[in-house]
Amino acid sequence: MKYIDEFRKANLIHRAAAAIREMTPGYGINIMEVCGTHTQNFFRFGLDKLLPGNLNFIAGPGCPVCVSSQEYIDKAIAYARQGNTIVVTFGDMLRVPGTTSTLEKERAGKGNVLVAYSALDALALARKKPEHKIVFLAVGFETTASTIALSIMEAKKEKLRNLLFFPSLKTIPSAMSYLLRDKRLNLSGFLCPGHVSAIIGTKPYEFAPEKYGVGCCVAGFEPLDILEGIYFLVRQIVNKKALVENQYSRVVTRTGNFKAQRVISAVFRESDDVWRGLGRIPGSGLKLKNDFLEFDAEKVMPLKIKHVGLSQKQKLCRCGQVIKGLITPDECPLFRKICSPENPYGPCMVSIEGTCNAYYKYH
Ligand code: SF4
């Protein structure tokens, strides 16, 4: 198949769902879809209604906006308040609630905040506005890390002194490893993200079957891709043989994209990082290597932010548990009552990749 429409054909979707129903044993099976785009499309195309109830799908931490820590958001807001500084960010970050404000509110006030589609936009802006400091909010996973790394290399080549990066880049396999150690989740399989895997390949997931006996399947994002990925995982569970399988072989290989990996490792080093809901995970972040520290916003413009307590309503937000897969959004007391995509109380409702957003719109 070549065209998107072919992956959305109703008769093929129903056949694939029937094959899964036929194969699924009667006991409960927990499958985590790591990536927010899988969660979104799973509900958007109504796949949840076609599959047996004992197949439990747990939304994972693969939404970069959702897992950025509260402190990170507060610091981004503080950068937007610095005179002569322009914060450049992906649009999803604008409405993520910080402790007392959002980037959107700052933009409506005196803050300088611009939305970009990629780090290359920040690079172009830095060339155009040498009198301003440009701070790019570098959030995302391995897919985004490669273009950000390229922009940093280019900035170094051009000796741009006014472009800074505030990194909160994270790596997916380390979060999966952390979640596998949490026995409460009792995971039987991971549906792994196609875009991240296009960069890293399927090899980095091999620890899951080898060390934990839990299978993985990399899948694309169209309905048939998702169903085929689930079929592969259920087959592994029925056969009691955990593997790493690749449903998305039209894009993903075992070893991934060497060029992108080389660029990432030239600019970034592995470091510990804090994930909202999961806490500090060793080796799960990417920070700038010593050769590129002149582009590190935290080194060049260190900030001290005042810690203010959360409001009573913010304290009720249960994004942390949603991200960890411990509860579904409707178990949060604010869901649909006061928290909605128009009026989000937590990042999981802001981003289109957020689990609360997907539940609100489609579930
Ligand atoms: Fe947070 Fe809103 Fe989701 Fe509740 S419904 S966990 S408040 S984002």
Side-chain angles (χ1 to χ4, degrees), residues 79-350:
Y79 279 126
R81 289 176 179 169
Q82 308 278 306
N84 211 32
T85 299
I86 302 174
V87 166
V88 180
T89 178
F90 298 123
D92 273 5
M93 292 290 281
L94 279 186
R95 298 172 65 222
V96 178
T99 310
T100 58
S101 180
T102 63
L103 287 168
E104 190 177 51
K105 284 184 191 155
E106 295 302 317
R107 187 166 70 158
K110 287 191 184 145
N112 264 330
V113 182
L114 289 179
V115 171
Y117 292 102
S118 109
L120 295 170
D121 295 339
L123 191 70
L125 188 71
R127 287 185 196 119
K128 230 181 354 188
K129 291 188 176 286
E131 71 287 3
H132 283 86
K133 283 241 178 305
I134 311 297
V135 176
F136 181 73
L137 304 186
V139 300
F141 300 115
E142 291 90 336
T143 329
T144 331
S146 53
T147 52
I148 293 175
L150 260 183
S151 310
I152 296 171
M153 287 169 106
E154 187 55 37
K156 190 163 178 85
K157 210 162 88 191
E158 293 181 29
K159 298 193 172 54
L160 279 177
R161 286 287 163 260
N162 62 328
L163 180 57
L164 300 171
F165 292 79
F166 182 26
S168 176
L169 289 161
K170 296 176 166 52
T171 51
I172 287 288
S174 40
M176 288 166 60
S177 164
Y178 171 89
L179 291 165
L180 279 169
R181 292 194 293 274
D182 191 330
K183 297 289 167 233
R184 287 172 296 176
L185 291 171
N186 191 22
L187 294 174
S188 307
F190 282 110
L191 196 67
C192 299
H195 42 20
V196 164
S197 309
I199 303 293
I200 65 174
T202 60
K203 201 164 174 265
Y205 304 122
E206 288 172 4
F207 75 94
E210 284 165 11
K211 199 167 162 198
Y212 298 95
V214 171
C216 298
C217 183
V218 173
F221 296 105
E222 291 303 318
L224 265 184
D225 288 323
I226 296 173
L227 288 176
E228 195 176 20
I230 293 168
Y231 180 88
F232 286 170
L233 285 172
V234 175
R235 188 174 60 186
Q236 289 184 30
I237 292 159
V238 171
N239 293 338
K240 297 191 178 5
K241 194 162 172 52
L243 305 163
V244 174
E245 290 187 275
N246 183 9
Q247 180 279 334
Y248 204 31
S249 57
R250 62 188 189 276
V251 175
V252 175
T253 62
R254 180 167 180 262
T255 46
N257 181 328
F258 284 131
K259 273 191 189 164
Q261 290 167 19
R262 263 202 301 271
V263 173
I264 293 172
S265 60
V267 174
F268 295 113
R269 65 179 168 82
E270 200 183 278
S271 73
D272 298 352
D273 207 353
V274 177
W275 298 55
R276 191 187 291 254
L278 308 187
R280 182 171 294 276
I281 306 181
S284 69
L286 296 172
K287 295 281 181 239
L288 286 160
K289 282 186 164 172
N290 284 346
D291 283 354
F292 296 91
L293 285 183
E294 75 249 44
F295 298 101
D296 190 328
E298 287 198 284
K299 292 276 179 302
V300 180
M301 292 172 69
L303 285 174
K304 273 214 171 94
I305 51 166
K306 214 166 110 194
H307 287 285
V308 191
L310 297 174
S311 71
Q312 282 310 323
K313 278 180 188 155
Q314 279 176 320
K315 279 184 195 159
L316 291 175
C317 169
R318 297 178 73 185
C319 273
Q321 285 162 290
V322 171
I323 289 164
K324 214 169 177 184
L326 292 175
I327 63 164
T328 53
D330 39 13
E331 292 175 70
C332 167
L334 307 189
F335 183 72
R336 279 193 199 281
K337 294 193 179 81
I338 57 170
C339 181
S340 66
E342 292 72 38
N343 185 31
Y345 272 75
C348 300
M349 189 58 95
V350 176

